[in-house]
Structure formats: C-alpha cells, structure tokens
Amino acid sequence: MTKNAKRDQEHDSCSAGGEKSRHGSTRSTFEVISKLEEVDGLCRVQRQEIVVEITTELPLWEPKQKVTAALDDEWKKAVARLNRHEAGHRKNVMQAAAVLRENLMVLKPQAHCLAARADIDIALQNALIRLDRRQAYYDRLTKDGLRD
C-alpha cells in the first residue's frame, strides 16, 4: 500500500479587519491510499481508497451573567445560520471527493509505478485546487454566511 500526499484544506468563516477570526471553521483532510502492482509490464491500481475527514467548529457562548431571552434567541439564530453556512462547505468537500474518485478511476496504467503515483498526486492536487476555488466562491456568494 502506498499513501499518496495527505492534504489539508481549511476554511474560516467571518473575517474582521482583514484578519480571519474563529467564528466558524470547516477543515478537511484528503488522503489517497493506493495499492499499485506491476502486471504485464504496466503499473496498475489494484485497490484505492480516498479518506476524507471533515471537522467543523462552531462558537460556544457562555455568558457570565444572565441575558435576555431576546438576546439568547438572537444568538441561537446566528449559530444556526453559521451552521447552515458551514454545512455548505462540508457539501463542497464531499462533492470534491466524488469528483476526485471519478478522476482516479479513469487514470491509465503507467510503465512505472512512480509515474502512476505522480498521476494520483496530480489528481489529488487538482481536486484540492478546485475545492479551494469553490469554497472561496461559496463564501463570496453567501457573504461568509451572512446570506443564505
């Protein structure tokens, strides 16, 4: 078994003054695990796994003093909106994994396993580049979660 590059993607919601703040965050890790074998002079993929881990962090508010019911309700609505926004990022990650899987399935056998590993790495890197662009577009479209 060969582990291809393990790559992390991170997205933070909400920016203030040009700096990222930790109001909400979705991180993903992609790992491609491949079993390559030379058969009839060509290196072929015998088995392949894509492992995706997604972590979403949402803010926790624990006021030190009693707050009004209206303020508490507003907080709950804000967290629900943020959670919906982060769900969109998770959906983008899963779509990227599905496209990566399709792209890996059509890779051609190579004369050497080193070239086959390089093809897998390139497919993974391209998937992550597209995901970065999709996540940035999604943030612009939703104004970082301020708009559904």
Side-chain angles (χ1 to χ4, degrees), residues 14-85:
C14 303
S15 52
E19 290 186 32
K20 295 289 185 179
S21 58
R22 303 296 289 192
H23 294 219
S25 172
T26 296
R27 288 183 305 283
S28 58
T29 302
F30 285 68
E31 183 175 11
V32 178
I33 303 169
S34 306
K35 180 180 180 190
L36 304 175
E37 197 171 296
E38 291 208 25
V39 178
D40 299 328
L42 291 174
C43 184
R44 301 177 188 275
V45 175
Q46 298 299 316
R47 192 174 115 211
Q48 200 157 54
E49 297 174 46
I50 300 172
V51 179
V52 179
E53 183 178 309
I54 303 171
T55 303
T56 297
E57 294 178 3
L58 296 173
L60 178 63
W61 181 44
E62 296 174 332
K64 295 181 193 262
Q65 53 193 353
K66 186 155 174 68
V67 296
T68 65
L71 183 57
D72 188 54
D73 188 48
E74 227 177 285
W75 170 254
K76 288 176 183 172
K77 287 178 184 175
V79 170
R81 183 173 53 247
L82 183 56
N83 192 35
R84 282 192 305 274
H85 176 74

